[in-house]
Amino acid sequence: MQMMQTKLRHLMSPMDFSTDELAKLLELAADIEANQEKYAHVCQGKKLATCFYEPSTRTRLSFEAAMLNLGGSVLGFSSADSSSAAKGESVSDTIRVISCYADICAMRHPKEGAPLVASEHSRIPVINAGDGGHQHPTQTLTDLYTIYSLLGRLDNLTIGLCGDLKFGRTVHSLMGAMVRYPNIRFVLISPEELRIPSYVRDNILVKNQAPYEEVERLEDVIHQLDILYMTRVQRERFFNEEDYVRMKDFYILNKEKMELARKDMIVLHPLPRVNEISVEVDDDPRAVYFLQAQKGVYIREALILTLLGLRP
Ligand code: NCD
């Protein structure tokens, strides 16, 4: 095992990594995927803390699987109720204490910016595993790795983002990361009420002069797409249930719509899926969302190694 000199570094947004650093991370993930044995003991003696104040299946378990695959161990909590947050402890106090127990921490929190506050008080790397409707950088790393492994490039792509573009943090993070590659065009497919927030439009699209269009009907644009990124309507971020009920089945990707798409388009979804992709689509070779979830483990292994400065 090699230990490289690294200064304390956190991951709050996918833009924290330059495109060169991202390229190295993707290469490392590909090497891990191809040579899993080689990495089986690199994190021996190291501990990952997963501090999840909000529900999760994939993100938490894929982080834990990643650390276990690297020979390390994991500890943590999976809901605010089972941590001292229920007693009123602040995230800054919690992370001071976690810094004494673990070498690296993945944190998910319903409040935007909570992992950033934690990172400012931490002695160990903190990874934002999703903060409210804001960012979800490790989902973006998963998305980029999936796109790169399946399409062989991150440039010259038309990417359709469909569903809840307002509250969907995976969409905000993915757009921020993708806009830095040449010739990326976004097709934003959402109902009027769930369009991207204005800070995303200004800071990502306008600032980078990225070509984009906003449409409501998926059927009208699906034929143009290299990638269709479906998202769930984020029920937990709605102010009232009635609005959610009105919006929840706005998009349902089914076989008929898939017939309008290119033969080499891929369908991504960060999951969990509710109704927005009909199960009949799962057998279509273009539906790669379960493979995407699997790839999320390798890229998280690469991230853990990079933040800890470790190599086999
Ligand atoms: C996403 C999330 O938590 O933002 N899930 C995930 O981490 N894979 C998407 C979602 O919850 O809809």
Side-chain angles (χ1 to χ4, degrees), residues 171-237:
V171 166
H172 307 156
S173 289
L174 183 59
M175 289 176 68
M178 294 286 298
V179 81
R180 299 183 298 176
Y181 296 95
N183 199 18
I184 296 295
R185 194 166 77 84
F186 297 103
V187 183
L188 305 173
I189 310 151
S190 74
E192 176 85 36
E193 285 158 272
L194 297 180
R195 285 186 175 190
I196 50 162
S198 53
Y199 81 87
V200 173
R201 184 187 320 273
D202 296 345
N203 298 346
I204 297 177
L205 296 173
V206 176
K207 193 167 152 200
N208 294 285
Q209 299 176 337
Y212 73 97
E213 64 177 301
E214 291 184 290
V215 298
E216 203 169 84
R217 278 168 48 89
L218 175 58
E219 301 84 308
D220 294 347
V221 290
I222 195 168
H223 65 279
Q224 307 174 10
L225 308 177
D226 296 302
I227 300 163
L228 172 59
Y229 194 92
M230 294 297 295
T231 62
R232 165 182 80 89
V233 177
Q234 306 280 299
R235 179 182 204 157
E236 64 276 35
R237 314 227 187 272

